[in-house]
Amino acid sequence: ANRPNTGTHNIAIGIEAGREMTSGTYNEFIGHDAGRSNTTGTSNDALGHQALYSNTNGNNNVAIGYQAGTSLNGGLQNTFVGASAGSGQTAGNSNICIGFSTACPSLTGNNQLNIGNFIYGNLSTKQVVWGQSAVVAGATLALVSTTQGFLPPKMTTAERDAISSPPTGLMIFNTTTNKLNVRGAAAWEAVTSV
C-alpha cells in the first residue's frame, strides 16, 4: 500500500490499497485494491478485494466484502455489506445494500435500501416493500406476493390485554376467540365476519 502525500490518519493494508490517495483523511482500506482510486475522499472504510475501488472523492462510505461498492465514484454516506453488494452503484448518497450481489433499483439514486434482494425501501419517504423492488405509492409498508398471505401476530385475549397503551388501529389474531381483533379508539373490537 502507498502512503498518501498530504492526507493524514489513513490506513491502507494490501497490494495497491489506497494507491492513488493524495489528500484524503481518516480512511481505512484493507484488502487487495481496496480504495485504490481514492484521492481526496475522507472517512471511507473499505474491507475486501476491490471494495470502494473506483471511489475518488466520496466521503463517509462503508464497503465490506469482495467488490462491495467497487464502481461507486463520489457518493456520500453509502453502506454496502456483502460480496458484490452495491458493486454497480456508480453515484448516489445514503444508499444501503446488504447481502450477496444486492443492488439498488437506481445505480445513481439516493436513499435506497436493498436487503437480500427481497426487502427494498425509499429511505427519504420512509417506505418499505417486501417482495418487489418498487415501493407502493401511499404505503409505508407493502407486502407483495401472489402465493402467500399476511399473518398478524397471534395471541390470547389475556396476552392482547397485556399490551401497554395499544395504539388505535393495532391488529392481532385472537387465538381465544379465533377472530381478528383491531384496536378502536377506546377498546378492542373483533372483526366478526372472520
Side-chain angles (χ1 to χ4, degrees):
N2 296 344
R3 291 193 176 273
N5 293 333
T6 60
T8 61
H9 302 96
N10 294 295
I11 297 171
I13 301 171
I15 297 171
E16 306 290 353
R19 176 183 174 183
E20 305 298 325
M21 200 166 342
T22 57
S23 62
T25 58
Y26 299 103
N27 295 291
E28 293 88 26
F29 301 127
I30 301 173
H32 181 242
D33 280 333
R36 178 178 178 155
S37 301
N38 192 78
T39 54
T40 61
T42 298
S43 300
N44 295 293
D45 297 300
L47 172 63
H49 175 72
Q50 293 185 340
L52 290 180
Y53 177 91
S54 299
N55 187 52
T56 57
N57 61 358
N59 301 320
N60 303 301
N61 296 295
V62 175
I64 301 172
Y66 170 81
Q67 293 187 337
T70 194
S71 299
L72 184 71
N73 187 359
L76 305 172
Q77 301 169 342
N78 294 288
T79 302
F80 306 115
V81 178
S84 298
S87 64
Q89 193 77 26
T90 57
N93 304 322
S94 302
N95 296 299
I96 300 171
C97 292
I98 300 173
F100 173 75
S101 200
T102 53
C104 291
S106 167
L107 298 180
T108 59
N110 301 319
N111 300 302
Q112 302 172 97
L113 171 69
N114 178 351
I115 300 174
N117 290 321
F118 182 72
I119 300 172
Y120 294 88
N122 181 326
L123 302 174
S124 61
T125 59
K126 298 179 176 73
Q127 293 176 283
V128 176
V129 61
W130 294 38
Q132 71 181 26
S133 61
V135 295
V136 177
T140 191
L141 173 64
L143 308 175
V144 179
S145 176
T146 58
T147 60
Q148 298 172 328
F150 167 73
L151 181 63
K154 295 181 182 181
M155 61 187 72
T156 66
T157 300
E159 292 166 332
R160 178 203 70 187
D161 292 344
I163 298 173
S164 178
S165 303
T168 300
L170 187 66
M171 184 184 336
I172 63 107
F173 184 82
N174 188 323
T175 57
T176 304
T177 62
N178 285 323
K179 298 284 182 190
L180 191 62
N181 289 183
V182 178
R183 179 67 181 194
W188 286 97
E189 298 177 23
V191 178
T192 56
S193 61
V194 176

